[in-house]
Amino acid sequence: MTVLCFFCDHGSIVPGRVRVAVRLRPRNAEEMVADADFADCVELQPEFKRLKLRKNNWDSDTYEFDEVFTEFASQKRVYEVVTKPVVESVLDGYNGTVMAYGQTGTGKTFTVGQLGEEDTSNRGIMVRSMEDILADLSPETDSVTVSYLQLYMETIQDLLNPANDNIPIVEDPRTGDVSLPGATLVEIRDQQSFLELLRVGEAHRFAANTKLNTESSRSHAILMVQVKRSVLESEDIPSNENNESSHLTKPSKPLVRKSKLVVVDLAGSERIHKSGSEGQMLEEAKSINLSLSALGKCINALAENSAHVPIRDSKLTRLLRDSFGGTARTSLIVTIGPSPRHRGETASTILFGQRAMKVENMLKIKEEFDYKSLARRFEVQVDKLIAENERQQKAFEAEVEKINLEAQSRIAEVERNFAEALEKERLKCQLEYMDSVKQLEHKLVLSQERHDCNGFADVHGEGPGPSSANEIFEVKRMLENETNRRKAAEEEVEILKIQLGNHSPTQAGGDMEILNLHRKLEEEAHQKKKLEEEIIILRSQLLQMTYEADQMRRCLESGGSVNEFSAVDSAMSQARSSQLRDNGNAQKESVANLFEQVGLQKILTLLESDDANVRIHAVKVVANLAAEEANQKRIVEAGGLTSLLMLLRRYEDETVRRVAAGAIANLAMNEANQELIMAEGGITLLSMTASDAEDSQTLRMVAGAIANLCGNEKLLMKLRSQGGIKALLGIVRCGHPDVLSQVARGIANFAKCESRASSQGLKSGRSFLVEDGALPWLVQNANNEAAPIRRHIELAICHLAQHEVNAKDMISGGALWELVRISRDCSREDIRNLARRTLNNSPTFKSELRRLRIEY
């Protein structure tokens, strides 16, 4: 590795010549064809650090450089030889410059600005320089900031903030230092953030396709890295009279070193008749050639020690004032191509490098005393003492809190034991009731099995066998017994009430008897409630068994009186097909019959039953009723909506919450019910359920309910303020396609209503969806494989784009590309047309597409 310079003590001025290396680009595909019969115009001799430029087949000119790289040289070696000494000087407090110069298409941007995302060995000078700088800095005391600029058509533009497109150059009249006060400064903490910064800058840099290069840079790119380091300088006390050296040192002086690394990727020089530039590209080429010509004049003047150096002829030369003839350590890499067709440009590049090698800089370290660091050091010590005091205080408070928690834990354990004992007593009381229910269910299963067996045994169309009839008769008999028991209990309660009214409280032992009567009344009322619940369940089971018996009878009647086994099998197949077709209607008829026989108010009362099975059965009945629009008004008027919301608030059972959310979703399809749901806190309860639930079916029901509410323009503000949008975006964690479809439908409904409100002047400002963070999810899932999800998201993006105030957010978030894709590739014509109209009507979108040269 070539050592470019040696360093002296800080504060001294050190001479340092500009170091120049030449790098040869390998032949590209076009040159391999066009120049197949011709030899390269240059011959490299890297071992002697020189090259020969052929004039013809027998004559050539020889030039020597500080380093010569063949077409096989690696990016790492180029960095180690050319740039690393400059980076080390910057870390020691000197300014440094690394610059690439050459004809367009010879590999300057590859050498300087390659990110190496696909192949890390291709990382360029910018990336490798920052790696070494960050590795050598201390995060506690040092800092590094970056600006990324381009010089385009003699205007300095900020690549990190394209709106800042005319940055002035300010020169310090005392020191002559050049600064750009309007440029964006970004502090770099890690390599990943620096790579992201370079990606942003490259996206805003001007490039074009010419005959010489498919991605020709049309501007000079300038990366400015400012390094600030804190160091301590100590001085030894000189030796005494006896020549005995002393080990004492003077107190350390705080120093701060402020150095700057400038990496320049110059735009390539080109001849117009070869590049084929015209129009705007022609003007760009003229500007590039003028600035490079001005740089060449300055280097010529410096190489010849001329009294006048035309620094002010170009903004490029003003920016590089410290790099050539100033106080910075400078390395120049000139890039050339092998093609003999471009021998003139190659010769010009080589001569530029030869002249630059004659330029002598006077290196000067950039440091100053930093007494503020002493104050910061004392502040750190004070902060440590305060923190230690707070830690001790927190430890004491934590000990007290621990004692309190232990006491609360013991109290909670006692309460839990007491609750468990009460629960055991309650279960013991209900044991007999549950046993009877299980026996009934067992008999019902046996009855169904006998139905199947009877269907194969009886092929003469005589209807269900005696066993099925006996089971139905048994259930009816038990229902009548329960009804009689209820009537008897009601009569006994009335008698006890009469006795209680006739009883005189002044008689001996009266108080005790009154208490007994009250207790008996409560027991009878509780028994009555249980009997009513049991009667409703028995009626539901009876209706189901009657329905199954009718299905079996129709099956056997359709079979006729055929004696062969095949006829029986055919009859059973027809029965199954008929059952599948009529299943939905029969279920609705069963629910309707139960609704008429029991009454809506009684069913809603069972939603608050202590028995979990009764509660689940009742909420399923209400959900089935709510699916019919004709029943919804009666359910709401009877307080059914309030009861369903109470279920969401009080119970954590997944089945209850799922069915209740589905019933609320059915009611929310009616616009008249939507305001009632919002008024009773429905969206808050649905949001809480969405955050707690994990079952995909429950989340689908909740998302469907919120999606229905999103279609009401009057509820937008309240829906958003009560967390509706946040809840929808939280549900996407499930990932189930059915759930995501409901979420996308809700966002599309909200975007449509919001767009309509904005067009009517009822709303201004950015979309609530954008503010709540829905845009990244929409962009990410715009190409979802599921057609319903994709269709809803495409509609949502189109509606968001109709409001001009959302345009900048959509451009920065990547939604503009999706809008262009929708206008071209969407399978639905109405959505394609909507996307095209939106693009044509938005000035911001049209301006951005013109800037990116995108046709749509």
Side-chain angles (χ1 to χ4, degrees):
M1 181 179 71
T2 302
V3 179
L4 300 186
C5 63
F6 299 95
F7 300 118
C8 298
D9 293 337
H10 71 84
S12 60
I13 297 178
V14 184
R17 176 176 58 80
V18 174
R19 302 290 168 167
V20 182
V22 63
R23 186 180 192 184
L24 176 64
R25 171 182 59 76
R27 287 194 177 193
N28 55 33
E30 189 266 337
E31 290 171 346
M32 288 182 179
V33 176
D35 301 332
D37 298 330
F38 301 94
D40 292 348
C41 66
V42 292
E43 177 187 349
L44 303 186
Q45 295 177 337
E47 62 276 11
F48 301 115
K49 298 182 181 179
R50 66 190 180 193
L51 64 81
K52 291 183 178 181
L53 179 64
R54 291 191 177 94
K55 295 181 179 180
N56 46 48
N57 291 335
W58 56 87
D59 192 14
S60 62
D61 294 328
T62 302
Y63 302 94
E64 293 185 356
F65 289 91
D66 293 301
E67 190 64 47
V68 174
F69 297 107
T70 68
E71 64 269 34
F72 306 109
S74 66
Q75 291 278 76
K76 181 178 181 181
R77 182 165 177 267
V78 172
Y79 171 76
E80 294 285 346
V81 173
V82 176
T83 309
K84 190 165 185 176
V86 178
V87 173
E88 291 174 347
S89 297
V90 171
L91 292 173
D92 287 334
Y94 295 90
N95 286 345
T97 301
V98 179
M99 186 171 69
Y101 177 92
Q103 182 190 7
T104 183
T106 54
K108 296 184 299 301
T109 302
F110 176 81
T111 301
V112 173
Q114 185 73 10
L115 300 183
E117 294 176 314
E118 298 180 357
D119 186 355
T120 55
S121 64
N122 286 336
R123 303 191 313 279
I125 288 174
M126 290 181 179
V127 178
R128 294 177 185 268
S129 299
M130 185 56 66
E131 287 178 353
D132 283 352
I133 290 173
L134 291 175
D136 196 70
L137 294 183
S138 172
E140 292 78 13
T141 59
D142 305 335
S143 66
V144 55
T145 55
V146 169
S147 297
Y148 200 13
L149 313 165
Q150 69 174 351
L151 180 59
Y152 176 73
M153 301 288 288
E154 279 303 298
T155 60
I156 301 176
Q157 302 178 2
D158 197 334
L159 289 175
L160 304 181
N161 182 15
N164 193 5
D165 58 359
N166 192 9
I167 300 174
I169 300 175
V170 177
E171 297 180 11
D172 190 333
R174 183 174 60 87
T175 63
D177 291 341
V178 176
S179 62
L180 302 171
T184 301
L185 275 177
V186 180
E187 185 171 0
I188 303 299
R189 292 290 184 183
D190 51 58
Q191 187 70 10
Q192 191 59 39
S193 62
F194 178 67
L195 290 175
E196 186 62 30
L197 179 144
L198 290 182
R199 291 190 196 98
V200 172
E202 288 300 320
H204 295 134
R205 190 176 177 188
F206 287 98
N209 184 0
T210 68
K211 293 181 179 180
L212 298 177
N213 190 359
T214 57
E215 294 184 5
S216 175
S217 300
R218 314 308 291 169
S219 64
H220 307 301
I222 305 164
L223 178 71
M224 292 186 175
V225 183
Q226 300 185 20
V227 180
K228 182 178 179 182
R229 306 192 69 181
S230 297
V231 296
L232 291 176
E233 179 192 38
S234 61
E235 298 181 7
D236 294 336
I237 296 178
S239 58
N240 55 23
E241 296 178 355
N242 298 326
N243 293 327
E244 296 178 357
S245 60
S246 173
H247 297 287
L248 299 177
T249 59
K250 292 182 179 180
S252 300
K253 295 179 181 179
L255 299 176
V256 59
R257 291 176 176 171
K258 298 179 181 179
S259 54
K260 179 171 64 176
L261 172 65
V262 179
V263 183
V264 184
D265 178 15
L266 293 174
S269 60
E270 61 182 65
R271 295 186 179 179
I272 306 303
H273 70 277
K274 289 187 177 182
S275 65
S277 299
E278 57 185 16
Q280 179 64 20
M281 290 172 56
L282 177 60
E283 297 300 321
E284 293 171 346
K286 290 180 181 178
S287 176
I288 292 170
N289 289 338
L290 284 174
S291 62
L292 293 178
S293 175
L295 177 61
K297 290 179 181 178
C298 290
I299 289 179
N300 286 340
L302 290 169
E304 296 170 0
N305 293 321
S306 174
H308 171 68
V309 180
I311 292 292
R312 297 188 174 276
D313 286 1
S314 169
K315 288 187 177 181
L316 177 63
T317 54
R318 292 178 66 189
L319 284 173
L320 299 178
R321 179 174 186 172
D322 194 45
S323 303
F324 294 96
T327 62
R329 186 179 303 281
T330 301
S331 288
L332 172 67
I333 180 165
V334 294
T335 59
I336 59 176
S339 175
R341 290 177 296 154
H342 305 306
R343 184 189 177 284
E345 290 82 351
T346 302
S348 175
T349 302
I350 292 173
L351 292 176
F352 179 89
Q354 289 287 297
R355 289 191 295 271
M357 290 177 63
K358 299 177 182 179
V359 176
E360 194 83 17
N361 290 351
M362 303 303 293
L363 312 184
K364 183 178 181 181
I365 197 167
K366 306 293 184 180
E367 66 179 16
E368 59 189 26
F369 293 117
D370 184 18
Y371 292 106
K372 292 182 180 180
S373 64
L374 291 176
R376 287 198 298 270
R377 192 185 309 167
F378 290 136
E379 288 176 0
V380 169
Q381 294 178 358
V382 172
D383 290 340
K384 287 182 178 178
L385 292 174
I386 294 174
E388 181 63 27
N389 184 33
E390 287 184 352
R391 277 195 294 271
Q392 294 177 358
Q393 184 176 356
K394 289 292 183 182
F396 175 75
E397 293 176 354
E399 186 66 24
V400 174
E401 183 68 19
K402 181 180 179 181
I403 295 173
N404 290 335
L405 289 176
E406 289 178 356
Q408 292 177 5
S409 176
R410 292 177 182 175
I411 295 172
E413 184 177 359
V414 172
E415 292 177 348
R416 186 166 56 254
N417 293 337
F418 180 70
E420 290 176 356
L422 288 179
E423 182 67 19
K424 289 179 181 178
E425 289 296 326
R426 188 181 70 83
L427 293 175
K428 184 178 178 181
C429 294
Q430 292 184 351
L431 185 59
E432 183 178 353
Y433 169 73
M434 295 299 295
D435 288 340
S436 62
V437 172
K438 290 180 179 178
Q439 291 174 5
L440 273 174
E441 292 177 350
H442 182 64
K443 289 181 180 180
L444 185 61
V445 172
L446 292 176
S447 174
Q448 292 175 348
E449 293 176 353
R450 288 170 184 157
H451 286 171
D452 296 336
C453 295
N454 291 336
F456 284 100
D458 187 1
V459 296
H460 299 289
E462 292 150 352
S467 176
S468 176
N470 291 338
E471 290 294 334
I472 295 174
F473 177 75
E474 180 65 21
V475 173
K476 288 183 177 180
R477 184 181 62 78
M478 292 178 66
L479 179 60
E480 291 175 358
N481 291 340
E482 293 294 340
T483 304
N484 293 332
R485 287 173 59 190
R486 186 184 69 172
K487 291 180 179 179
E490 291 177 352
E491 291 174 359
E492 187 174 351
V493 170
E494 292 298 329
I495 293 172
L496 289 173
K497 286 182 179 178
I498 294 172
Q499 291 177 359
L500 180 61
N502 295 333
H503 183 73
S504 174
T506 59
Q507 297 176 0
D511 293 340
M512 184 59 67
E513 188 173 353
I514 289 174
L515 292 175
N516 292 334
L517 287 172
H518 275 295
R519 187 161 52 253
K520 288 182 180 180
L521 285 172
E522 290 175 357
E523 291 176 356
E524 291 297 334
H526 185 67
Q527 185 66 19
K528 176 184 175 183
K529 184 177 179 181
K530 281 190 174 182
L531 290 173
E532 289 176 350
E533 295 173 354
E534 191 171 338
I535 288 170
I536 291 174
I537 292 175
L538 289 172
R539 283 180 175 172
S540 175
Q541 293 175 348
L542 178 61
L543 290 170
Q544 182 66 25
M545 291 180 65
T546 303
Y547 163 71
E548 292 177 355
D550 291 341
Q551 290 293 325
M552 185 60 67
R553 185 180 298 108
R554 286 197 297 270
C555 166
L556 295 175
E557 288 174 356
S558 63
S561 57
V562 182
N563 294 325
E564 285 92 359
F565 179 78
S566 59
V568 176
D569 184 61
S570 175
M572 289 302 295
S573 299
Q574 292 177 10
R576 291 190 185 96
S577 300
S578 175
Q579 183 176 3
L580 289 174
R581 287 193 303 270
D582 299 338
N583 185 41
N585 295 331
Q587 186 179 5
K588 292 181 181 179
E589 291 174 2
S590 298
V591 173
N593 291 336
L594 184 63
F595 176 48
E596 296 297 334
Q597 293 178 13
V598 178
L600 177 60
Q601 197 62 47
K602 184 64 67 177
I603 295 174
L604 295 178
T605 303
L606 296 181
L607 293 176
E608 302 177 3
S609 173
D610 294 333
D611 192 319
N613 292 328
V614 174
R615 193 165 56 246
I616 292 173
H617 189 79
V619 73
K620 288 181 178 179
V621 172
V622 174
N624 287 327
L625 289 173
E628 295 292 330
E629 186 176 358
N631 299 330
Q632 292 180 359
K633 183 176 181 182
R634 296 176 63 184
I635 292 174
V636 173
E637 291 176 350
L641 175 59
T642 304
S643 299
L644 291 170
L645 294 174
M646 286 296 294
L647 288 178
L648 285 183
R649 182 182 292 111
R650 292 172 53 187
Y651 295 103
E652 296 182 358
D653 183 87
E654 197 67 35
T655 303
V656 172
R657 293 201 299 180
R658 179 174 66 252
V659 181
I664 294 172
N666 289 336
L667 293 176
M669 290 190 294
N670 191 328
E671 185 175 353
N673 299 332
Q674 292 173 352
E675 294 186 6
L676 292 175
I677 294 174
M678 295 295 293
E680 296 192 22
I683 190 62
T684 302
L685 292 174
L686 290 170
S687 300
M688 293 171 59
T689 304
S691 64
D692 296 338
E694 296 296 335
D695 178 62
S696 60
Q697 293 302 319
T698 303
L699 292 174
R700 182 173 69 88
M701 296 298 181
V702 172
I706 298 177
N708 290 338
L709 295 174
C710 286
N712 192 326
E713 297 179 21
K714 303 176 183 177
L715 306 178
L716 293 183
M717 292 291 293
K718 188 179 293 186
L719 188 68
R720 191 256 184 152
S721 63
Q722 294 183 8
I725 303 304
K726 294 285 188 183
L728 272 181
L729 295 177
I731 291 175
V732 303
R733 70 182 186 277
C734 173
H736 195 280
D738 292 341
V739 177
L740 297 183
S741 177
Q742 293 297 328
V743 172
R745 182 172 69 88
I747 293 177
N749 287 345
F750 194 95
K752 181 178 180 180
C753 292
E754 199 174 38
S755 175
R756 188 181 298 118
S758 299
S759 62
Q760 295 173 356
L762 302 178
K763 182 188 178 302
S764 60
R766 291 197 312 164
S767 168
F768 292 149
L769 292 172
V770 175
E771 292 180 354
D772 285 353
L775 190 58
W777 184 82
L778 292 174
V779 174
Q780 182 181 358
N781 291 271
N783 283 309
N784 196 287
E785 295 179 357
I789 299 175
R790 186 172 63 253
R791 183 177 70 254
H792 289 312
I793 289 179
E794 288 173 347
L795 280 172
I797 292 176
C798 290
H799 289 310
L800 284 175
Q802 286 181 324
H803 198 28
E804 185 69 14
V805 75
N806 299 327
K808 290 185 178 179
D809 291 295
M810 297 188 71
I811 291 172
S812 62
L816 176 58
W817 300 105
E818 294 302 331
L819 196 61
V820 173
R821 179 192 62 78
I822 294 168
S823 69
R824 294 174 177 173
D825 304 332
C826 181
S827 58
R828 284 184 44 174
E829 184 177 0
D830 56 338
I831 300 179
R832 284 202 312 272
N833 293 336
L834 178 60
R836 290 170 184 164
R837 287 199 306 272
T838 304
L839 289 172
N840 289 327
N841 294 335
S842 172
T844 304
F845 288 155
K846 292 169 68 175
S847 174
E848 181 68 10
L849 292 174
R850 282 197 303 270
R851 189 183 72 82
L852 298 173
R853 297 184 176 93
I854 294 176
E855 298 293 336
Y856 61 92

